[in-house]
Amino acid sequence: MHPDTSSADIRRRFVEHFEAAGHTAVPSAPLLVDDPNLLFVNAGMVPFKPFFLGQETPPYQRAVSVQKCVRTPDIEDVGKTTRHGTFFEMCGNFSFGDYFKAGAIELAWDLITKPVADGGFGLEESRLYPSVYEDDPEAVELWKKITGVPDDRIARLGKSENYWSMGVPGPGGPCSEILYDRGPAYGADGDFGAEDRYLEIWNLVFMQDELSAVRSKVDFDIAGALPKQNIDTGMGLERVAFLLQGKDNMYEIDTMFPVIERAQELSGRRYGADPVDDVRFRVVADHVRSSMMLIGDGVTPGNESRGYVLRRLLRRAVRSMRLLGYEDRALPELFPVSRDRMAPGYPALTADWDRIAQVAFAEEDAFRSTLRAGTQIFDNAAVETKAAGATVLAGEQAFALHDTYGFPIDLTLEMAAENGLTVDEEGFRALMAEQRNRAKADAKSKKGQHADTSVYRGILDANGPTEWLAYETLTTESRPLALLAGGAPVPALGQGEIGELVLDRTPFYAESGGQVADAGRIVFDGGVLEVLDVQRPVRGLVVHQVRVLEGEFVSGGTLQAEVDPDWRTGARQAHSGTHVVHAALREVLGPTALQSGSYNRPGYLRLDFGWTTGLTDAQYRDLETVSNNALRADLAVGWEYMTLDQARDWGAIALFGETYDDTKVRVVEIGGRWSRELCGGTHVDHSSQIGTIVLTSESSVGSGNRRIEALTGYEGFAYLARERDVVAQLTGLLKTQPDDLVGRVGDLVERLRAVEKELEKGRLQQLLAGAGALASAAEDIGGVGFVGQVVEGAGGGDVRTLALDVRGRLPGDRPGAVLVIGVQDGKPSLVTAVNEAGIAAGVSANTLLRAAASLLGGKGGGKDDVAQGGGSDASRVTDALEAARAELARR
């Protein structure tokens, strides 16, 4: 591969081309995005969406970026085509009211066709086909004028291909794609639907329309023209890379194929030898890279939302390696290869490698355990299917294995074939479709949740940003700029009414960075407003939600804004306490224990961090000790403003998923290098002012994520005082000293357990004492001695013991069957047992169990001699016994 065609060089050439044309280079935003419509950044324009929606004023007129993106709707098609991948890099140039169609076309065409020696990509013009929206004659003329491309080389396409919108009311417009003709081997001449032949490498969106009543991608109303015409483009780096590198698809480029090469070495199979294996190799290459990038940006595996996507990617990669014949731990072999290829563009992968590896490798270990557990579930399902005389595993069983146990469907198909069974794939797909439809309906219900910020935007444009003084003072004399109720301006608020107030200056902290907003009041001539909440709906504007406590508030005059000093003190203690606990956590567990989220209010803090196991008692104690030693040391707390790059060089920690201003960030440090974090919150001046840090819990909040909760300041002391009172009460009741309390309680617990065991032993003996009477009273049903009994208060273990004991007392030379149903805490449990003579006569414990369990809302399984199950409806136990009798009678 020529060095001028590497992915790193393509990325560099793209940025340099547009920087030379006056564009500001903007670093890639994290993959996590705060958007109700998106799990991840899925296009290069997403970080600029507030500018396109008019929610914020862009600080530049032209921008260029190479944005990390993840798309997962087509995950099942990954590896099957040259186009579908989950992680990709989108190179984009953007104009905010500056150049428009002509400028975008000229800049794109110049870069693509310019010789490599001159900084371009050097693609042959004869292979390039522009496409336009069929109702955009202006674009046609511009393409011909600027590029010299003849009319018959310009494809006219409809709305579904060449009209862009976000799927919600807002900006939209026609677009032009640049298609690369890969030749007749990939499809028919002029068939622009043949995407493998006419490969889209760049899309130029001409944002010119204001859309309303958006019903679908191709069904919407155009309310009018946008006030400013904008440009949003996206060039797929991977697609350009495989063209320039002479490869057949994106999986064979320099940042991905080395993973396939390593997978070949591990599996002993060869890429290109088998089309089925080729798909698996590509899945591995794609999913390893995508997973690594997601973990790098703070995602941890879980069962919902982003965590579920990551878990699925990791498990599909591991599963694909298994299908290639490699059953050892695969990710420790593959992840480093992907890291080494991606790190030149994303050096944080190397810096944060220990944490990334820990998360990924732990998930593979968990999945390997899941495979073992799922195999047992499958084996039971297969036995049950065969016992019923069927050869098809039910679709609902395959779906349960997939949905509940994370068992891949292809593994279920493979194991079913090994057992001489097939799978009801149609039923499985139907259930999967239902699940997807529910997810789509939920996502659709969230569409349109971009808040209408135009009223706030207007206030900001008219008055400028709020003078925000939360770091300097607790009180300000302020002037009201706007009063809103229900999202619209109002002249006044009556007593008890709630509205939104914008001031020219404010001392109130607006909720952000995990810290809740300040509480307090605003005093006006003739009354008082209670401040309920403080937010920043658009950047630079602080909005107070207020309730009128006294008087009638008419906007105007001079106001006194007053933060509750006790509230602010508690908030400062909690936020600084969060930083202390985070630093202590890394000291106790190591540098890979990084915060993934936080929340703090006066006296309370909550810190989430990526970790795969719970803290030991010793680690828990050490964490609290290290935290309080930091308070005792009275460490200085300070903050500085610097660029994001300087903050990183300084060792400051950024919160995953947060977006930071690259020109200026605030770094808060406690004890110098001991704790340095990017943070906009309010803090104490010395660590001793936190008072105390009392850990109250450590728990799991999903696979690979833990949560620490703690109290600070007065609330921490109050908590300890309550515990002291409890200890005093217990020592009084037990007539012992505090130092002996644990031993005394331990002795009482052991004595209680011993008594409970004796009671249990006596209860079981009493239960079994009736086994002989039950056996002797067996009823004859079709020549089979049958015992059916309901036992109140018996659990599963007792039921099994009684059923086996009764079966042992039945005459051995006569067919016999036993069904015992226990009911404990309203839940039935069942055991059927059949003797050898009964089995010889064709009686099956499994068959009897299914007949009874189906009436109790449950199921179960086992063998012909013993089967066990449970249910959810204990009201029909009599009917269940009758169903077993009927099954015997039909034999």
Side-chain angles (χ1 to χ4, degrees):
M1 182 186 72
H2 192 282
D4 290 336
T5 65
S6 70
S7 293
D9 192 70
I10 293 170
R11 189 186 299 114
R12 177 186 60 79
R13 285 169 181 266
F14 186 90
V15 174
E16 289 180 351
H17 173 77
F18 285 99
E19 279 189 307
H23 292 65
T24 298
V26 179
S28 174
L31 285 166
L32 281 67
V33 57
D34 183 16
D35 189 308
N37 302 309
L38 299 173
L39 285 178
F40 307 109
V41 170
N42 66 350
M45 63 79 62
V46 170
F48 303 102
K49 189 184 287 188
F51 304 153
F52 291 130
L53 289 171
Q55 296 170 346
E56 297 181 15
T57 301
Y60 29 67
Q61 287 188 300
R62 301 182 176 195
V64 58
S65 71
V66 180
Q67 175 62 47
K68 298 179 287 186
C69 301
V70 167
R71 292 181 187 170
T72 57
D74 301 320
I75 191 171
E76 301 289 349
D77 293 319
V78 169
K80 298 176 183 177
T81 74
T82 60
R83 303 179 307 280
H84 293 100
T86 49
F87 174 86
F88 58 97
E89 296 178 79
M90 185 64 79
C91 305
N93 60 287
F94 307 90
S95 167
F96 307 106
D98 189 10
Y99 62 84
F100 198 46
K101 293 181 184 179
I105 292 171
E106 185 175 354
L107 286 166
W109 192 260
D110 183 44
L111 176 60
I112 286 180
T113 60
K114 187 165 52 179
V116 172
D118 296 333
F121 296 142
L123 293 177
E124 302 171 46
E125 291 190 26
S126 62
R127 286 180 171 266
L128 299 176
Y129 286 72
S131 74
V132 299
Y133 177 47
E134 57 190 1
D135 290 336
D136 188 10
E138 179 189 11
V140 175
E141 295 307 314
L142 287 171
W143 277 108
K144 290 192 291 186
K145 176 183 177 181
I146 293 170
T147 70
V149 171
D151 190 84
D152 61 1
R153 288 251 311 278
I154 300 175
R156 278 81 164 173
L157 303 176
K159 280 184 179 178
S160 60
E161 294 86 8
N162 275 50
Y163 193 96
W164 177 91
S165 78
M166 286 187 285
V168 295
C175 55
S176 282
E177 298 169 340
I178 300 178
L179 311 175
Y180 182 87
D181 182 8
R182 302 177 70 197
Y186 294 93
D189 289 347
D191 180 8
F192 295 106
E195 294 185 67
D196 280 336
R197 173 162 182 176
Y198 294 98
L199 183 73
E200 175 197 341
I201 59 174
W202 205 333
N203 189 16
L204 315 177
V205 176
F206 309 133
M207 214 175 289
Q208 63 188 39
D209 300 326
E210 178 75 35
L211 306 186
S212 63
V214 178
R215 294 169 289 276
S216 72
K217 182 176 175 62
V218 296
D219 184 13
F220 48 79
D221 297 334
I222 297 179
L226 288 173
K228 292 183 179 180
Q229 295 176 327
N230 302 314
I231 288 294
D232 157 30
T233 82
M235 186 193 85
L237 188 148
E238 285 81 2
R239 294 188 180 190
V240 172
F242 83 71
L243 293 178
L244 294 182
Q245 293 173 18
K247 304 300 182 181
D248 191 55
N249 57 64
M250 61 180 285
Y251 307 100
E252 298 173 11
I253 64 175
D254 58 326
T255 54
M256 296 184 73
F257 195 68
V259 175
I260 292 179
E261 291 178 316
R262 183 60 181 142
Q264 289 182 103
E265 295 170 1
L266 296 172
S267 67
R269 301 192 189 182
R270 286 291 166 263
Y271 182 72
D274 179 350
V276 175
D277 279 353
D278 286 353
V279 172
R280 293 166 181 163
F281 278 120
R282 293 169 188 161
V283 167
V284 169
D286 175 87
H287 288 8
V288 162
R289 185 172 73 150
S290 300
S291 302
M292 179 182 68
M293 300 304 290
L294 285 171
I295 297 170
D297 275 358
V299 184
T300 55
N303 292 326
E304 295 181 356
S305 190
R306 294 164 173 157
Y308 179 74
V309 172
L310 173 59
R311 170 162 287 167
R312 190 177 180 204
L313 291 171
L314 287 166
R315 294 187 171 193
R316 278 173 59 88
V318 172
R319 172 63 185 145
S320 294
M321 287 299 294
R322 180 186 174 105
L323 291 172
L324 288 168
Y326 186 77
E327 298 194 8
D328 291 336
R329 296 174 81 230
L331 298 186
E333 301 290 339
L334 300 172
F335 259 57
V337 178
S338 188
R339 173 202 61 199
D340 292 345
R341 290 294 172 169
M342 295 299 294
Y346 303 97
L349 293 172
T350 300
D352 202 19
W353 178 247
D354 288 344
R355 182 190 61 84
I356 294 171
Q358 181 184 62
V359 171
F361 303 164
E363 179 62 18
E364 178 173 18
D365 291 340
F367 183 45
R368 288 165 63 85
S369 299
T370 293
L371 287 175
R372 289 191 290 271
T375 299
Q376 294 178 343
I377 302 297
F378 172 86
D379 288 343
N380 289 338
V383 167
E384 195 173 311
T385 300
K386 290 181 178 180
T391 59
V392 180
L393 190 71
E396 63 181 18
Q397 290 177 308
F399 179 75
L401 281 165
H402 168 85
D403 194 53
T404 306
Y405 300 100
F407 218 55
I409 182 59
D410 47 4
L411 181 57
T412 301
L413 292 169
E414 177 185 302
M415 295 178 64
E418 292 171 355
N419 281 267
L421 300 171
T422 58
V423 177
D424 176 14
E425 290 189 68
E426 186 176 339
F428 171 81
R429 303 293 176 194
L431 290 168
M432 286 292 293
E434 286 181 19
Q435 186 184 63
R436 287 196 191 99
N437 289 337
R438 286 193 297 270
K440 287 179 180 178
D442 180 60
K444 187 175 181 181
S445 71
K446 297 177 181 178
K447 292 284 185 181
Q449 287 189 16
H450 294 290
D452 182 4
T453 59
S454 58
V455 64
Y456 304 117
R457 180 83 256 161
I459 296 169
L460 182 63
D461 290 342
N463 300 282
T466 304
E467 185 180 359
W468 188 63
L469 301 171
Y471 296 150
E472 288 82 23
T473 182
L474 296 179
T475 62
T476 60
E477 279 194 4
S478 304
R479 183 170 54 87
L481 301 178
L483 181 64
L484 309 173
V490 294
L493 291 176
Q495 187 162 341
E497 291 184 331
I498 294 175
E500 292 180 311
L501 178 62
V502 180
L503 304 176
D504 64 336
R505 59 207 307 256
T506 180
F508 282 89
Y509 182 84
E511 180 179 358
S512 66
Q515 180 176 331
V516 299
D518 278 335
R521 65 180 193 163
I522 297 173
V523 180
F524 62 95
D525 186 15
V528 178
L529 304 174
E530 178 187 10
V531 177
L532 304 174
D533 192 15
V534 189
Q535 297 290 334
R536 284 191 178 92
V538 295
R539 184 178 296 178
L541 192 73
V542 177
V543 178
H544 310 75
Q545 185 186 60
V546 296
R547 175 168 52 207
V548 182
L549 292 183
E550 300 174 18
E552 180 186 27
F553 177 66
V554 179
S555 185
T558 301
L559 313 176
Q560 182 82 5
E562 303 173 352
V563 175
D564 182 332
D566 290 338
W567 180 280
R568 174 65 73 81
T569 296
R572 295 170 67 203
Q573 290 173 323
H575 205 152
S576 295
T578 304
H579 286 223
V580 167
V581 172
H582 188 200
L585 192 66
R586 288 180 282 113
E587 184 172 321
V588 172
L589 298 183
T592 61
L594 289 175
Q595 177 181 330
S596 58
S598 69
Y599 171 79
N600 49 78
R601 63 173 186 264
Y604 168 85
L605 69 86
R606 183 181 76 207
L607 184 147
D608 295 345
F609 63 102
W611 203 253
T612 56
T613 59
L615 300 187
T616 65
D617 291 342
Q619 288 171 333
Y620 190 81
R621 288 193 300 271
D622 288 347
L623 177 60
E624 192 169 55
T625 299
V626 171
S627 298
N628 282 288
N629 281 343
L631 272 57
R632 183 181 182 183
D634 195 27
L635 302 175
V637 180
W639 43 86
E640 280 190 45
Y641 289 94
M642 60 188 71
T643 67
L644 185 57
D645 287 340
Q646 287 173 331
R648 286 170 174 156
D649 292 341
W650 214 35
I653 296 173
L655 182 64
F656 289 125
E658 288 288 325
T659 301
Y660 298 97
D661 186 344
D662 189 49
T663 59
K664 186 177 69 172
V665 296
R666 182 173 183 254
V667 178
V668 175
E669 68 171 10
I670 301 176
R673 294 187 60 86
W674 188 69
S675 171
R676 283 177 176 163
E677 299 190 30
L678 274 63
C679 180
T682 59
H683 289 273
V684 299
D685 298 314
H686 291 269
S687 61
S688 60
Q689 294 171 339
I690 297 170
T692 189
I693 292 176
V694 181
L695 301 189
T696 57
S697 73
E698 188 272 334
S699 61
S700 170
V701 285
S703 177
N705 231 1
R706 309 292 300 179
R707 172 170 292 173
I708 293 288
E709 293 182 275
L711 298 174
T712 59
Y714 176 81
E715 285 75 8
F717 287 116
Y719 178 88
L720 294 174
R722 289 193 298 272
E723 286 203 332
R724 178 198 61 196
D725 292 343
V726 169
V727 169
Q729 292 175 42
L730 288 175
T731 53
L733 287 172
L734 299 176
K735 294 181 171 44
T736 187
Q737 297 300 312
D739 290 345
D740 298 328
L741 185 59
V742 173
R744 184 82 171 93
V745 172
D747 289 342
L748 287 175
V749 170
E750 287 300 316
R751 288 168 58 187
L752 181 60
R753 285 174 179 167
V755 171
E756 287 177 341
K757 286 181 180 179
E758 287 299 317
L759 290 173
E760 175 68 14
K761 182 178 178 181
R763 191 183 64 78
L764 185 59
Q765 289 175 345
Q766 184 179 17
L767 184 67
L768 296 178
L774 290 174
S776 63
E779 58 185 302
D780 185 280
I781 301 178
V784 177
F786 176 69
V787 175
Q789 184 67 30
V790 176
V791 183
E792 293 290 341
D798 293 342
V799 170
R800 185 180 181 90
T801 300
L802 180 59
L804 294 178
D805 194 39
V806 172
R807 183 187 66 176
R809 296 172 185 266
L810 293 173
D813 57 351
R814 179 187 176 193
V818 179
L819 168 59
V820 178
I821 304 176
V823 180
Q824 190 175 61
D825 298 326
K827 300 290 184 182
S829 54
L830 311 81
V831 173
T832 53
V834 179
N835 63 14
E836 291 185 6
I839 295 172
V843 181
S844 169
N846 250 321
T847 303
L848 291 179
L849 184 78
R850 281 197 302 273
S854 63
L855 295 176
L856 302 178
K859 56 185 179 180
K863 299 180 179 180
D864 286 339
D865 59 338
V866 180
Q868 185 168 344
S872 58
D873 182 7
S875 67
R876 301 190 64 188
V877 291
T878 302
D879 294 338
L881 290 176
E882 288 304 317
R885 291 187 176 95
E887 183 64 37
L888 274 178
R890 284 195 298 269
R891 182 181 54 85

